[in-house]
Structure formats: C-alpha cells, structure tokens
Amino acid sequence: MPNAVSSFIQSVRTRTLSIGQMTFGSFLLLLTIIAATSIGSVVAIRHIDRTFGELQRLQSVGDLAEEIERRMSDLRFAARQAVTEPAAQPAGKVFAAASALTELLKKTRLELAPDQQEMLDGVTERLTNYRDGLQRITELMQRRGELVAKIPALREAFEATIAGLSDRKLAGDLHSAQIKVGAALLSRDLMGASDAARRMRALPIGDAAAARSVRDYAELIASIAAVEQEIADLDRDVLGTEGRLIGKVTELLRDAAARRGRVLSRDLARTLAEDKWQSIVLGIAGVLVGWMAAAFVVRRTVGPLTAITRAIRSLAAGQQYTAIPATDVKNEIGDIARAAEVFRRTLVDADNAREAAVRALAEQRLAEESYRKLFEGSIDGIYVTTPDGALLNANPALARMMGYDSPAELIRATADVSTTIYLDPAKREEYRELMQRDGMVREFEYQARKRSGDVLWLSDSAGAVRDEAGNVIRYEGAVRDITDQKRAEQAVAASRLLLQQVIDTVPAVINVKDTELRYVLMNRYMAGVFGIHPRDAIGRTTAELMSRFGSHKTDANDKRVLATGEGLGFYEEEYRDATGATRQWLVNKMPLKDADGEIERIVTVALDIGERKRGELEMRQAKDAAEAALRNLRETQQSLIEAEKLAALGRLVAGVAHEVNNPVGISLTVASALERKAAVFATEVARGELKRSRLNEFLETTRDASSQLVANLNRAAELIQSFKQVAADRNYSDQRLFDLGDLTEQVVMSLRPGLRKHNLTLNVECQPGLMMNSYPGPYGQVLTNLFLNSVAHAFPNGRAGTVEIEVRAAGNDHVVVAYSDDGCGMSLDVRRRAFDPFFTTRRDQGGTGLGLHIVYNIVTNRLGGRLELDSEPGNGTRILMTLPRTAPQERAELSAASGS
C-alpha cells in the first residue's frame, strides 16, 4: 500500500497534463472541493477546537516527512549527477546537501514522538552510510580522472606503434581491439572493455618497444574499467541501497503520520459533523482552492505560450540564437515549443548551410584553379587511369614525356597502358596488386615505351580512389622521368666495379675510410693481409679487423689527417698480418675533400717494402764489398793506364825518332860531304891551284848542299814542332779553342812513322774551319788509341790494310769523327764487350784490354759525346764519334775528378 501511494504521488508529480485535461480537471476539482467543503464544514466544526492541536502536530510530522523526502530526492539527484557528470555537479555541493539534511533531522528529532524518533535515527544512520559511500566514489572518480588524463599520450604512442608495424595483420588486429575498447567504454560495458584490453595485451608482438607501448595502453584501459566497475558497484550497493532504505524510513514515517491523520480525520469528521459552522470555513477554502487551480492552469498554459510567442517574434526579427522555452514540457505547449525550436534550428542550419555553401563554392573554385595550374604547369607527368588500364586524363608534361604533342593525342593512342606504356606488362600487374593491397604506391619504378620506341625509366607515386562500396574506380598519380638517374646509377656502379677491379690488380694496400675511420673501400691485396674478404671489411675499423688475429695498429696517422686536413707524405711502418708475419710498409695517406673543403674520406696506399728492406741490407753489404773491390780495381786500373800511356809514349817516341832521323841523317851526310868539299877547296886555294871551273863547281856544290841542308832541317824542325804540339796537347788537360782539322793532321803526322813498318795506309779527310772549344789532348789520345788498336787487332800477321779518318760538321753544335779500317772485324761477342775494361783478344801478346775502354771514357765523359761501334767479321770496323763543339765543363771536371 505505501509503495502504491508513493508511486501514485510520484506519477502525479512527474505527469504532464494536456491543456484540456488541466481545464477539465480544474473545474472537476473545484466542484469536488465545493461539495467536500460543504459536507466537511457541517461535520468538522463540532470537533475542530479539540483536534486542532493534534492536527498541527501531525501536520509538522507530515511536513517533516515531505521535507526529508524532498531533500533526500535532491540529494540523490545531486549524488547521481556527481557520479555521472562530475564537472557539472561538484562533490562539495553534495556533501553540503547531506550535512544540511543531517542538521534538519537533528533539529526536528526532539519534536517527534518516541516511535517517530527511532525512525528518524534510522534515517540519520542511513544518511551517514550514504555520505561514506559518496566519499569513496569521489576518491575513485579522482583516480579515474588521473587515469583518463594519461589516455591521450598512451593512445598516441599506441597509434604510432600501429602505424610503424610492418605486419599489417597485427596492426589491423590492434586497431580492431582499440575500436572495441572505445565502443565498450562508450556503452558503459566495463567487462567488455576489460576483456578487449586483455585480448589486446595477449597479441604476440616481436618488437619490444611496440609490445611495451601496447601493454601500457591495455593496462591503462583495464585500470579505468576496474575503477569504473568499482564506482558502479558502490553506486549500486551503497548509494542505491542506502537511498532506498532512507526512502522506506520516510515512507514509514509518512505512513505513521497518515494513519494518525486518518484517525484524526475521522475525529475531525465527527467534529465537523457536530459543528456546522465549519462548513462555511471549508466553503471558503474550496473557493480558494478553485482560485489556485485557475491560477495553476493559467501559469501552466498562458505563461509558456506568451514566452514562446516572444521567442518566435525574436526569430522573425532575425535573432537566430534566441532560446525557445518550455521545450521539455510534454503537452501541446511543449509540442508548440519543440516545433518552434525545430524551426529555429532549421533557420540556423539553413543559414549555416548557405554560408558554408558560399565558402565551399569559393574554395572549390580556388582549388579547381590551383589544381588546373598545378596540373598544367607541373614538370612531372600527372595521370588518371582505370584499373583496367584506360587512360582517362593526362597533363602536358606526361604527353611530352611520352613523345606526344598533346594530352588528347596521348589519350587517343593509349588503349591499355599495360601494353602501350609499360615495357613489361607484369610490372602493371604488380602495380595493381600494390594498389589493391595498400591503396597507394610510392616511387614505383618501371620501364616505359615512348611513341618513338625509345625506352625510359619512370618513378610512379599514386593513390587509389574508391567508391562508397570500397571498390577501386580509378588511379591518380604522378610520374618522374628517372632515365638519367638510372644511367648515372649504372655508370656509378660500373665505375665502382671498375675501380674495385683496378685496385684489386694492384699489388699494394689500397683502402678508403670515412671520417669515423671505418672502411668504405678495400682492395683484395689488403684484404689478404687481414685474412678477410673485402666486402666483409666494409663498415669496420682497423682495430676490429686486427683484433681477429691478435694484432693491433694505431689510428694516430688517420687522426692526424683529419686534424690537419693535409696528406702525410710517404712514411714507413710495420705490423703483423693475419699469418703472424711482421710486414714493413711504405705508406701515404691523403684526404678526399668535398666542394666546401671538408674531409669526406681518407685514402691510404701502402707498398710492401719487406723485400726492398732485405734487398737494401744485402745491397749495403754488397756495396761495401764492391766499394772495397772498386778501390782495388781503380788502383790496378790506374797502374795499367799509366803503363799503357807509357807504352804509347814509347811507341810515339820511337816513331818520332824514326821520322826525324831521315832529314837529320840527310843533313848530316850533306854537311859531311860539304865539309870534305870545303876542305878540298881550301887546300886548292892554299896551294894556289884554284881554277875558275873548280870555283864554280864548289859554289854549285855549296848551293846544292845548302839547299838540301835547309830543306831537311826545315823538315826536321816542322816534325819537332808538330811532335812538340802533340806532346803539349796530351799533357795539357785544360779546355781551349782549336781547329779540329789542324789538330787531326798533327795527330796523324805523329802516327805516320808506323805506317810503313806495318804496311798500312792512312787516309784523312777533314772539313776545314771546324773550330772547337774542347780538350785537344784527350782527342789526340782517342785517335792514337784507335790507330794502335787497329794495328794490334785489325791486321793480324802484318796484313796490309787501310785506315780512314773522316771529320765533318753535324749541325751547328756538333761534329762527327768517323774512324774506320778494312781489317778482320769483330764477332758479336767481341763487339758487345769491346769497351769493357780489361777485355782483350791479345792478352797472350801483352794486351791490357784498356785501349778502347779509355777511348769510351774520354769520348763520353771528357769530351761529352757519344760513340757508336759497327763491325762484322771480315768487313772491318767503323767507329762513329759525335762530339759537341763546346765540351761540357761539368763532364770535364767529373772526369778529372774520377781520373784523380
């Protein structure tokens, strides 16, 4: 019964009546009150004085119950709002309302009967439990707020993790789990949200960072779900239960007051039946109630309608955002208000739509213009194709790229891009598969065929356009001509391969390091030193490579290059290779710089000088031994040369003596005969027997003898002067100016005495006027040695022969002296060794093997010329000497120094 009454009262309070119902109900209530007043007045007047006090007390109890119920209803509403909308209803206001209700209970407790006081104590106790539960919910809501504040950061990390996953199926599963979590939280399905978070956390993820991001996000969702579940449990178990208990206590209090009121009503009825005057009072009360009902009807109808009318007028005046009142009323007035609100929103939406349409139209026109300019002016090719290969649109750049004059011509000529454009139709199928799977391609490279048949490389970036059903209807993209780039890449690759092949053939260490001293290039020779393949060394340091076989080498020289920016020049170093052998190297390091002068690479070239080091040691040892032998050889050679000079001088003196002996002997014979003739003439003169005929005979004999004496003595004087000049030239080593023809004749004159003895003929042909600034003595020694060499070797067994000397100019700066004989010639072996020191074919006849060696040294060193030998067995020998007209002073000094 109490529940039914309470439900009825609640339904009356919450029910909204229509205008007709309110009007009819008001009149019906007025008539009912009038009738009841009339009857009650007659019944109640009799006992009104006696029951008035009791009625007042009961009225206070009823008022208290109503007040408790009203405040409890407000408290429950505030608590519910604080739980569901904490921002709209702060928890402090809820606690303030609970405290006010507690004070009200304490204040009115003393005015109640004992049984009513017990009921009121029960309300106070339940209210205390209610506050404790609300306090706990407030704490949980703060905890929920802290957890919710963490959601954005973790969700961004979670979404970034999904975007970075290469496993698209796993990314899709995580995304689906996220959607389920959001849907469960929005629908307040806390168990569903917790289960979705748990399944998300259970997904296998190989990347540790990604797994940690997913785990943090899932744990946060689970924590929020747990807090929400605890809040819901407290709301259900504490707030709901305690609120219902408080409501029951107030209902009991109201029921007790109602029972007592019914008793008093019965008494009052008896009283009013006895006191007829009470009917008059009740009649007046009925009139008042009718007036209040009328006022209620007016307030519930006329007032809202007036407000709605004013709002509609404001809307008509253009005030679009005027609020429409009474939209929550559920009757005809509410329908009018809601219709007005719909009309207002329609106006607002229409106005907004109009403004948006104007803006959209302007933006569309601007976008279309920008797109047209971009489409027409782009240097990249832009296209639109269907999945079947039909070319729908193309820009001028693409037409030019493919060799067409206009996009229209390209579109007409392209029936299917897979056969017309693509060189390999399989690449078009790969393109379609990527579009179907990913919805886009980026930098997709393929070969295309131009109109002329030429092939070019294209880089394609495009996206798929889908309809509402999700089906791909066209592809839109842009292409770049990367033919030059591909050719450059191929050229670079070929150059790098060629460079690697070239440096692999070099038997030296060659490597290139970056600024972190890691290898970027190494040849096979160096890789063999480290016992590793060249490509396995890329990206590693020297210390890392050498630590493999327990060796080490400092990077100090590389660091010096980085610090100074200059090469180090050649230097030597040594270290152990992969076999454990110590290697010596001649190293050079140079930096490679970019356009700004910054070091990009360090190039190292090293030659293995181990053999050279060992050779140098052996050479030093051999050099010391050779120098000792050379000193001994030079001493011996000098002695032999002096002996050869003395022998040549002896032969020269013998020839000179023989040549001078003829004119001197003739002169002596003539002088002796003249002396005898003079003695005879003197005797005849003394005896006086001189005759004219004898005088004439004596004078004739004297003239003949004098002529012969003068001629022979002049001849002897000329010979002696020539021999003196030759001797002086041979002893005189300084450079002087002389006539080459005259000097040659003088030297030949000293050689002629030996011609008859050896049955030889000497022919000399000299070009006149050949002036030289050279060394006459060494030149004479050369001719003498050549002549003596021919005498000794070219004409064995005293065979007759001819020696020829030809002197002629060779340009303005040189002369040529050709010495030849028609002797026996030289074999190939003898010719190769003819100028070697101590080589002779007549050692058994006293030959020293130094004659031609001295000739070679004088011609090439002292005289600064060159010498050519031409000889064949049986064809004689020809020696061609080319001499500078001015002998080099340096060679002279060097020869003099070596001779000394």
Side-chain angles (χ1 to χ4, degrees):
M1 182 65 181
N3 291 334
V5 174
S6 177
S7 299
F8 176 77
I9 295 173
Q10 187 67 25
S11 64
V12 170
R13 289 184 174 183
T14 58
R15 184 177 180 183
T16 302
L17 301 176
S18 64
I19 297 176
Q21 289 174 339
M22 286 190 292
T23 305
F24 177 77
S26 298
F27 283 108
L28 183 61
L29 178 61
L30 182 59
L31 293 175
T32 303
I33 290 175
I34 292 173
T37 301
S38 301
I39 297 171
S41 297
V42 176
V43 177
I45 291 175
R46 293 181 58 187
H47 296 90
I48 190 170
D49 292 334
R50 185 182 58 183
T51 59
F52 182 76
E54 183 68 13
L55 287 172
Q56 284 184 336
R57 191 175 65 82
L58 290 176
Q59 183 65 36
S60 63
V61 172
D63 293 341
L64 177 61
E66 291 294 330
E67 184 67 14
I68 292 172
E69 184 176 4
R70 184 183 64 77
R71 293 199 178 190
M72 190 60 201
S73 178
D74 294 340
L75 178 60
R76 292 178 66 182
F77 178 78
R80 175 61 57 190
Q81 193 173 13
V83 171
T84 58
E85 299 180 6
Q89 183 63 47
K93 293 184 178 181
V94 180
F95 291 128
S99 300
L101 181 56
T102 303
E103 292 297 324
L104 176 63
L105 295 176
K106 290 180 180 179
K107 180 178 179 181
T108 58
R109 182 178 182 278
L110 299 177
E111 299 176 3
L112 302 178
D115 57 339
Q116 295 173 345
Q117 290 180 353
E118 292 178 358
M119 294 180 183
L120 203 60
D121 292 339
V123 174
T124 303
E125 181 179 357
R126 297 302 177 187
L127 187 60
T128 301
N129 295 337
Y130 197 92
R131 291 184 60 186
D132 295 338
L134 188 60
Q135 180 66 34
R136 175 59 180 159
I137 288 176
T138 303
E139 296 174 354
L140 291 174
M141 290 175 63
Q142 292 178 352
R143 170 61 178 162
R144 181 183 64 184
E146 294 174 354
L147 294 175
V148 169
K150 298 179 180 178
I151 287 179
L154 293 180
R155 182 172 57 240
E156 290 180 0
F158 176 80
E159 292 174 352
T161 299
I162 292 176
L165 286 175
S166 59
D167 188 349
R168 305 313 305 170
K169 183 177 182 302
L170 177 59
D173 293 340
L174 290 174
H175 186 65
S176 299
Q178 183 188 19
I179 293 174
K180 291 179 180 180
V181 167
L185 290 176
L186 289 175
S187 62
R188 309 294 295 175
D189 183 8
L190 303 179
M191 292 301 294
S194 180
D195 292 339
R198 185 168 59 256
R199 286 193 297 272
M200 180 189 300
R201 188 168 48 192
L203 289 175
I205 301 176
D207 188 353
R212 181 169 59 255
S213 176
V214 172
R215 183 177 62 252
D216 293 341
Y217 183 76
E219 288 176 356
L220 177 63
I221 296 301
S223 299
I224 292 174
V227 171
E228 290 285 353
Q229 186 63 43
E230 189 173 355
I231 291 173
D233 293 340
L234 287 173
D235 181 59
R236 182 185 65 253
D237 297 335
V238 177
L239 299 186
T241 302
E242 296 299 331
R244 287 192 297 273
L245 292 175
I246 292 173
K248 289 182 179 180
V249 172
T250 55
E251 287 175 2
L252 291 175
L253 184 60
R254 189 183 297 110
D255 289 343
R259 286 194 299 271
R260 182 60 180 168
R262 284 193 296 273
V263 172
L264 292 177
S265 295
R266 287 192 295 270
D267 293 340
L268 184 59
R270 288 193 299 269
T271 303
L272 291 175
E274 295 175 353
D275 193 355
K276 295 180 181 180
W277 291 103
Q278 290 182 2
S279 60
I280 298 173
V281 175
L282 291 175
I284 295 173
V287 173
L288 293 175
V289 170
W291 179 83
M292 292 175 62
F296 172 76
V297 171
V298 171
R299 185 175 66 85
R300 296 293 295 271
T301 58
V302 178
L305 288 174
T306 302
I308 292 171
T309 302
R310 286 197 298 267
I312 292 174
R313 289 174 180 170
S314 298
L315 287 176
Q319 300 178 5
Q320 301 175 356
Y321 296 97
T322 301
I324 303 298
T327 56
D328 57 343
V329 178
K330 296 181 180 180
N331 55 17
E332 292 85 346
I333 297 173
D335 294 339
I336 296 172
R338 285 187 289 274
E341 177 65 17
V342 171
F343 175 70
R344 184 190 69 81
R345 292 181 181 177
T346 302
L347 287 178
V348 172
D349 294 340
D351 197 23
N352 292 337
R354 181 181 61 78
E355 294 177 357
V358 172
R359 289 195 300 270
L361 182 59
E363 292 174 356
Q364 181 180 1
R365 289 177 179 173
L366 180 60
E368 289 176 352
E369 181 65 19
S370 300
Y371 178 77
R372 186 187 64 79
K373 291 180 180 178
L374 177 64
F375 188 80
E376 298 291 336
S378 175
I379 61 174
D380 292 336
I382 301 176
Y383 66 88
V384 178
T385 67
T386 65
D388 295 332
L391 183 60
L392 302 179
N393 198 2
N395 69 335
L398 181 59
R400 290 192 299 271
M401 194 180 299
M402 301 309 299
Y404 292 90
D405 296 332
S406 66
E409 185 179 3
L410 173 62
I411 294 171
R412 286 194 302 271
T414 306
D416 186 355
V417 296
S418 62
T419 57
T420 306
I421 301 298
Y422 281 77
L423 187 65
D424 183 7
K427 295 296 289 184
R428 176 64 179 182
E429 291 301 320
E430 181 183 353
Y431 173 93
R432 292 181 59 184
E433 292 175 0
L434 291 174
M435 280 293 194
Q436 188 65 31
R437 186 189 67 190
D438 301 332
M440 64 177 181
V441 294
R442 289 292 179 269
E443 302 296 334
F444 182 77
E445 296 180 358
Y446 58 89
Q447 287 181 296
R449 184 185 299 104
K450 296 178 64 175
R451 182 182 188 181
S452 61
D454 296 338
V455 176
L456 68 160
W457 278 92
L458 298 180
S459 176
D460 197 334
S461 297
V465 179
R466 301 177 184 270
D467 57 14
E468 296 180 354
N471 299 319
V472 177
I473 57 175
R474 64 179 181 272
Y475 303 143
E476 297 179 350
V479 295
R480 289 188 299 109
D481 185 354
I482 59 172
T483 305
D484 294 338
Q485 175 184 338
K486 282 292 184 180
R487 291 173 181 169
E489 291 174 355
Q490 293 171 357
V492 170
S495 299
R496 186 175 182 85
L497 178 60
L498 178 61
L499 174 62
Q500 185 68 47
Q501 291 174 345
V502 169
I503 66 174
D504 283 344
T505 62
V506 178
V509 167
I510 300 176
N511 66 74
V512 181
K513 297 180 182 178
D514 58 19
T515 54
E516 296 180 356
L517 305 185
R518 296 187 178 276
Y519 290 102
V520 298
L521 182 65
M522 178 184 292
N523 68 340
R524 291 186 179 275
Y525 185 87
M526 183 175 182
V529 173
F530 287 146
I532 193 173
H533 195 277
R535 64 171 173 268
D536 296 333
I538 303 306
R540 304 171 70 178
T541 64
T542 303
E544 293 173 351
L545 295 179
M546 300 189 73
S547 63
R548 297 168 49 255
F549 50 87
S551 183
H552 69 279
K553 186 170 78 71
T554 177
D555 291 328
N557 291 326
D558 293 318
K559 294 177 180 177
R560 282 175 55 198
V561 174
L562 292 176
T564 62
E566 301 294 337
L568 301 182
F570 284 97
Y571 64 92
E572 296 182 4
E573 68 177 4
E574 65 178 31
Y575 52 83
R576 288 190 296 112
D577 61 11
T579 64
T582 300
R583 307 279 289 271
Q584 289 84 23
W585 306 92
L586 182 63
V587 186
N588 188 16
K589 292 182 179 291
M590 292 293 294
L592 296 180
K593 300 181 179 181
D594 57 15
D596 298 329
E598 299 294 331
I599 296 178
E600 288 186 328
R601 301 283 190 272
I602 299 176
V603 178
T604 301
V605 178
L607 299 176
D608 188 349
I609 58 173
E611 291 295 332
R612 194 188 78 180
K613 284 290 186 180
R614 290 187 289 271
E616 288 178 355
L617 179 60
E618 295 174 356
M619 288 176 63
R620 281 195 296 268
Q621 295 173 350
K623 179 175 177 292
D624 294 340
E627 287 178 349
L630 181 60
R631 285 192 297 271
N632 295 332
L633 180 62
R634 282 179 175 174
E635 293 174 358
T636 303
Q637 181 181 5
Q638 190 66 26
S639 300
L640 290 173
I641 289 174
E642 292 297 329
E644 183 70 16
K645 286 182 177 180
L646 292 174
L649 183 60
R651 289 191 294 272
L652 177 63
V653 171
V656 169
H658 177 76
E659 189 70 21
V660 174
N661 186 55
N662 288 331
V664 171
I666 293 172
S667 297
L668 180 61
T669 301
V670 171
S672 299
L674 182 60
E675 183 182 12
R676 287 192 301 270
K677 290 285 185 181
V680 172
F681 179 76
T683 301
E684 288 180 351
V685 170
R687 285 197 308 265
E689 299 176 354
L690 181 63
K691 298 179 179 179
R692 185 175 185 82
S693 58
R694 293 290 296 174
L695 177 61
N696 292 332
E697 181 183 356
F698 176 75
L699 291 174
E700 185 67 27
T701 301
T702 301
R703 281 196 300 271
D704 291 340
S706 298
S707 298
Q708 291 182 9
L709 284 174
V710 170
N712 284 284
L713 289 176
N714 285 334
R715 173 63 178 166
E718 290 176 358
L719 289 174
I720 292 171
Q721 183 63 28
S722 177
F723 296 151
K724 180 179 178 183
Q725 183 64 42
V726 171
D729 286 340
R730 295 195 178 187
N731 293 324
Y732 182 67
S733 60
D734 290 341
Q735 188 173 1
R736 71 178 178 85
L737 190 67
F738 59 89
D739 186 290
L740 183 60
D742 293 344
L743 180 61
T744 304
E745 290 291 346
Q746 293 174 5
V747 174
V748 169
M749 186 176 296
S750 67
L751 298 176
R752 288 189 183 278
L755 294 177
R756 289 187 296 274
K757 177 181 176 182
H758 297 288
N759 198 19
L760 298 177
T761 301
L762 179 60
N763 299 323
V764 179
E765 182 181 351
C766 294
Q767 180 178 337
L770 296 178
M771 299 303 298
M772 292 186 66
N773 185 8
S774 187
Y775 302 92
Y779 173 76
Q781 186 176 355
V782 167
L783 293 182
T784 301
N785 284 10
L786 289 176
F787 178 77
L788 294 177
N789 186 74
S790 297
V791 169
H793 300 283
F795 305 101
N797 302 322
R799 183 170 67 86
T802 302
V803 176
E804 294 182 351
I805 299 175
E806 180 184 359
V807 180
R808 65 179 184 276
N812 296 327
D813 299 326
H814 292 81
V815 296
V816 174
V817 179
Y819 178 91
S820 61
D821 62 50
D822 57 356
C824 62
M826 303 181 188
S827 65
L828 177 62
D829 182 63
V830 172
R831 189 169 69 247
R832 277 201 307 262
R833 303 176 60 191
F835 298 112
D836 290 350
F838 310 110
F839 174 75
T840 180
T841 59
R842 295 288 187 268
R843 194 173 301 279
D844 56 342
Q845 299 178 10
T848 62
L850 291 175
L852 289 182
H853 176 65
I854 293 174
V855 169
Y856 181 81
N857 282 339
I858 291 175
V859 171
T860 58
N861 291 325
R862 177 69 65 88
L863 301 181
R866 61 180 183 273
L867 187 146
E868 299 178 10
L869 173 62
D870 183 19
S871 180
E872 294 291 339
N875 292 328
T877 300
R878 179 180 174 83
I879 297 176
L880 191 67
M881 294 175 286
T882 302
L883 304 177
R885 293 196 176 192
T886 301
Q889 184 69 24
E890 293 80 0
R891 295 195 178 213
E893 293 175 354
L894 180 61
S895 177
S898 63
S900 63

